[in-house]
Amino acid sequence: MLNSVLVHSPATLSNLGCGFDVFGLALAAPYDTIRLTRSPEPGVRIQHLDGYNLPTEATRNVAGVALLMLLQEVPETIGFDVEITKGIKPGSGVGSSAASAVGAVVAANALLGNRFTKMQLVEFAMAGEVVACGARHADNIAPAIFGGFTVVRAVEPVLDIIALPAPPLWVAVVHPQIEVKTSDSRKVLPAAVPLGLAVRQWANVAGLVAGFLTADYNLIGRSLDDYIVEPARLPLIPGLAEARKRALAAGAIGGGISGSGPSIFMLNRTEETARAVGAALGSVFAELGIAFNVYVGPVGTEGARVVAE
Amino acid sequence: MLNSVLVHSPATLSNLGCGFDVFGLALAAPYDTIRLTRSPEPGVRIQHLDGYNLPTEATRNVAGVALLMLLQEVPETIGFDVEITKGIKPGSGVGSSAASAVGAVVAANALLGNRFTKMQLVEFAMAGEVVACGARHADNIAPAIFGGFTVVRAVEPVLDIIALPAPPLWVAVVHPQIEVKTSDSRKVLPAAVPLGLAVRQWANVAGLVAGFLTADYNLIGRSLDDYIVEPARLPLIPGLAEARKRALAAGAIGGGISGSGPSIFMLNRTEETARAVGAALGSVFAELGIAFNVYVGPVGTEGARVVAE
């Protein structure tokens, strides 16, 4: 039986333009690295091997809460020692908390002989999201578990996740170092949407799913646009409109706000285009005098995975 | 060169549950039969070989208006003699006007050496819909032209139709003989939708597209539900709730209002189930003392087509 595993758990894009609260896409990088070691001592002990000052008390740590949920379903008397090295900066809007929670439960499942289904792992990891942002949501958890493109059709009363393949795509993400609190980005959302606009939005949702499943890049590009959430959040992210403009000019297929921001993602056909688009995104924030990081990488076809024992 | 053709143009389901104003599905039957004959005499002359008393003046007839639009793009001096035998009852909510307009332009295209694209034919046929219901919409036109499952992503500024295959499915439709005016069924629609409900709706839209493209019947079934339009139209169609209940009990995958009603459709895995579901749908209206017709048939994999010269 395995005693210790090392897991990489990737960043993810949620919302993905038009699919607010529903769509998710896994990246190949950046990722969090989780070392999980089985212990005869019950409970969960966490160490962070990074400089982010995240809470290490299990009940206040996303990975800790997810593991405590999982342990409730384990009859053996065991515990876990956890070492987390975050490769994904907290608060960037690319599923940082989801990556740590998912990495922890995927590692635990490997140590326990893979007794849990992926859907169960999503349930455990969602408990971590409640600690991170107060809501039981799966739009970053689902792609981090399944990889590729995911649709969270429902969380309640029954969790319903549709895991779909994504065609080869390169993603450029810029993370401007400004703080957008999830609570603020929720506050600006409209309570209600004109029916005509809702129809345009779900027409794009339909187009995006069809585009992914038929590998139609043009269709993906024209279906990404979000008529409802992005316009409301535009004032929270300086440079967004200009970043989109330059990214499209550099050859991006399309893009939008990643999750609740402040990161901005753009999808691209090739690595070369993605690198040019990453540079174009960065140039906007350089000019604004806002520090930023740029990530460029392929869509992740698999989610979190054991990379070493 | 062909001088005369006979075309069958099928009934279609629009909206298809959650996809208000966006989704369409072609049936194999019923269909309108259009005989179109090329004439050296300009203009369009229409005869109806059915008992529905539809207008035969070209500018007031859906097929006539569509043909006049098409003729504007034809440099030759020609006209058409049209004989229409409606197999689809007007006002039933299964795309009766679309079928006649589409059949006419598909026939004309065959007579003109298929010089127009399917997208152009949709444009011509949409002019007929303006006569029929006052709006330039393509949600019945698109499946009647392309067959299978269609997504009208946009009508303006550029017509954008995504034609997708549908898995083998049998459709049961009941048409209760009550009048629901399209204008009335529009009037009951909410002006705005709570954001949370809109999200649930586009989650189903995503699920339905994924279900069709992966032939996942269970996913299709649970994604059909319409949280926005059907609840508003429920009072206009007596028996709807009971019809759905009995259809599901008889084995239907799911269903809803066809177009703006009053017809109700249910999707089914097999012909046998579809027949049982058709009978279950009919039983509701028999008990209510409302006359009705039931249609049972497979999804139409192709749209309107030339069946004889």
Side-chain angles (χ1 to χ4, degrees):
Chain A
M1 194 190 294
L2 287 179
N3 192 51
S4 180
V5 289
L6 192 72
V7 163
H8 285 174
S9 188
T12 49
L13 307 175
S14 63
N15 297 349
L16 212 63
C18 58
F20 175 69
D21 265 3
V22 171
F23 288 157
L25 188 69
L27 304 186
Y31 49 80
D32 287 356
T33 301
I34 318 271
R35 162 67 67 188
L36 203 72
T37 304
R38 188 187 172 113
S39 161
E41 193 185 330
V44 174
R45 292 156 295 279
I46 296 173
Q47 268 191 288
H48 262 281
L49 309 184
D50 48 52
Y52 294 120
N53 278 318
L54 292 169
T56 54
E57 194 185 332
T59 55
R60 294 179 55 231
N61 178 290
V62 296
V65 169
L67 288 171
L68 291 171
M69 275 293 279
L70 177 143
L71 280 172
Q72 289 183 9
E73 306 294 325
V74 175
E76 301 97 306
T77 303
I78 59 164
F80 297 114
D81 293 305
V82 193
E83 290 175 1
I84 303 177
T85 309
K86 288 209 66 70
I88 309 164
K89 195 169 173 177
S92 51
V94 290
S96 175
S97 59
S100 293
V102 164
V105 298
V106 166
N109 201 32
L111 293 182
L112 293 166
N114 291 309
R115 67 179 74 172
F116 298 114
T117 64
K118 289 191 169 186
M119 214 57 107
Q120 285 176 295
L121 297 181
V122 171
E123 296 272 9
F124 300 144
M126 277 202 293
E129 291 291 57
V130 177
V131 176
C133 72
R136 220 174 93 80
H137 71 98
D139 37 349
N140 290 102
I141 301 283
I145 293 273
F146 289 96
F149 175 53
T150 52
V151 177
V152 180
R153 217 198 112 250
V155 173
E156 304 290 350
V158 177
L159 182 64
D160 188 4
I161 292 169
I162 309 156
L164 300 168
L169 276 168
W170 282 77
V171 185
V173 177
V174 62
H175 175 204
Q177 311 288 313
I178 51 176
E179 193 185 2
V180 175
K181 288 193 180 153
T182 302
S183 56
D184 286 344
S185 63
R186 286 261 157 193
K187 235 178 272 171
V188 297
L189 296 178
V193 181
L195 180 59
L197 211 58
V199 169
R200 288 179 71 191
Q201 187 90 351
W202 67 60
N204 270 0
V205 163
L208 197 59
V209 174
F212 269 96
L213 281 172
T214 62
D216 182 335
Y217 292 100
N218 288 326
L219 178 56
I220 290 171
R222 61 189 194 270
S223 300
L224 278 166
D225 286 349
D226 167 9
Y227 301 112
I228 294 171
V229 174
E230 182 171 310
R233 290 182 171 168
L234 200 59
L236 298 178
I237 305 174
L240 172 57
E242 182 64 20
R244 171 193 295 283
K245 196 174 139 193
R246 290 191 198 173
L248 294 175
I253 293 173
I257 303 170
S258 175
S260 56
S263 285
I264 300 166
F265 76 95
M266 290 284 154
L267 303 185
N268 309 278
R269 283 183 177 79
T270 66
E271 177 174 6
E272 192 188 355
T273 306
R275 297 212 176 275
V277 167
L281 291 171
S283 70
V284 175
F285 296 96
E287 288 170 25
L288 289 173
I290 296 171
F292 63 91
N293 295 316
V294 169
Y295 305 113
V296 172
V299 163
T301 53
E302 49 185 347
R305 64 199 174 92
V306 175
V307 292
E309 291 171 5
Chain B
M1 193 190 294
L2 287 179
N3 193 49
S4 178
V5 288
L6 192 71
V7 162
H8 285 174
S9 188
T12 48
L13 307 176
S14 63
N15 297 348
L16 212 64
C18 57
F20 176 68
D21 265 4
V22 171
F23 288 156
L25 188 70
L27 304 186
Y31 48 80
D32 287 356
T33 301
I34 318 271
R35 161 68 66 187
L36 202 75
T37 305
R38 187 186 173 113
S39 161
E41 191 185 329
V44 175
R45 292 156 296 280
I46 295 171
Q47 268 190 289
H48 262 283
L49 309 183
D50 49 51
Y52 292 120
N53 279 317
L54 293 169
T56 53
E57 195 186 331
T59 55
R60 294 179 55 231
N61 179 289
V62 295
V65 170
L67 287 171
L68 291 170
M69 276 292 279
L70 177 145
L71 280 172
Q72 289 183 9
E73 306 295 325
V74 175
E76 302 97 305
T77 303
I78 60 162
F80 296 115
D81 294 303
V82 193
E83 289 174 0
I84 302 175
T85 310
K86 287 207 69 66
I88 308 164
K89 194 167 174 175
S92 51
V94 290
S96 175
S97 58
S100 292
V102 164
V105 298
V106 165
N109 201 32
L111 293 181
L112 294 165
N114 292 308
R115 67 179 71 173
F116 298 114
T117 65
K118 289 191 169 186
M119 215 57 107
Q120 286 177 294
L121 297 182
V122 172
E123 295 273 9
F124 301 144
M126 276 202 294
E129 291 291 55
V130 178
V131 177
C133 71
R136 219 173 95 81
H137 71 98
D139 37 348
N140 291 102
I141 301 282
I145 292 272
F146 289 95
F149 175 54
T150 54
V151 177
V152 180
R153 216 199 113 251
V155 172
E156 304 292 350
V158 178
L159 183 63
D160 188 2
I161 292 169
I162 309 155
L164 300 168
L169 278 168
W170 281 78
V171 185
V173 177
V174 63
H175 175 204
Q177 311 287 312
I178 52 176
E179 193 184 1
V180 176
K181 287 189 181 157
T182 301
S183 55
D184 286 344
S185 64
R186 287 259 157 196
K187 232 176 277 172
V188 297
L189 295 178
V193 181
L195 180 59
L197 211 58
V199 170
R200 288 179 71 190
Q201 187 91 352
W202 69 58
N204 270 0
V205 163
L208 198 59
V209 174
F212 268 96
L213 281 172
T214 62
D216 182 335
Y217 292 99
N218 288 326
L219 179 55
I220 291 171
R222 59 187 194 269
S223 299
L224 279 165
D225 286 349
D226 167 9
Y227 300 113
I228 294 170
V229 175
E230 181 171 313
R233 290 181 171 168
L234 199 59
L236 299 177
I237 305 174
L240 172 56
E242 181 65 19
R244 171 192 295 282
K245 197 174 138 193
R246 289 191 198 175
L248 294 176
I253 292 172
I257 302 171
S258 175
S260 55
S263 286
I264 299 164
F265 77 95
M266 290 283 152
L267 303 185
N268 310 277
R269 282 182 176 80
T270 65
E271 177 175 6
E272 191 188 357
T273 306
R275 298 212 175 275
V277 167
L281 292 171
S283 70
V284 174
F285 296 96
E287 288 170 25
L288 290 171
I290 296 171
F292 63 92
N293 295 317
V294 170
Y295 305 112
V296 173
V299 164
T301 53
E302 50 186 347
R305 65 200 174 93
V306 174
V307 293
E309 292 170 3

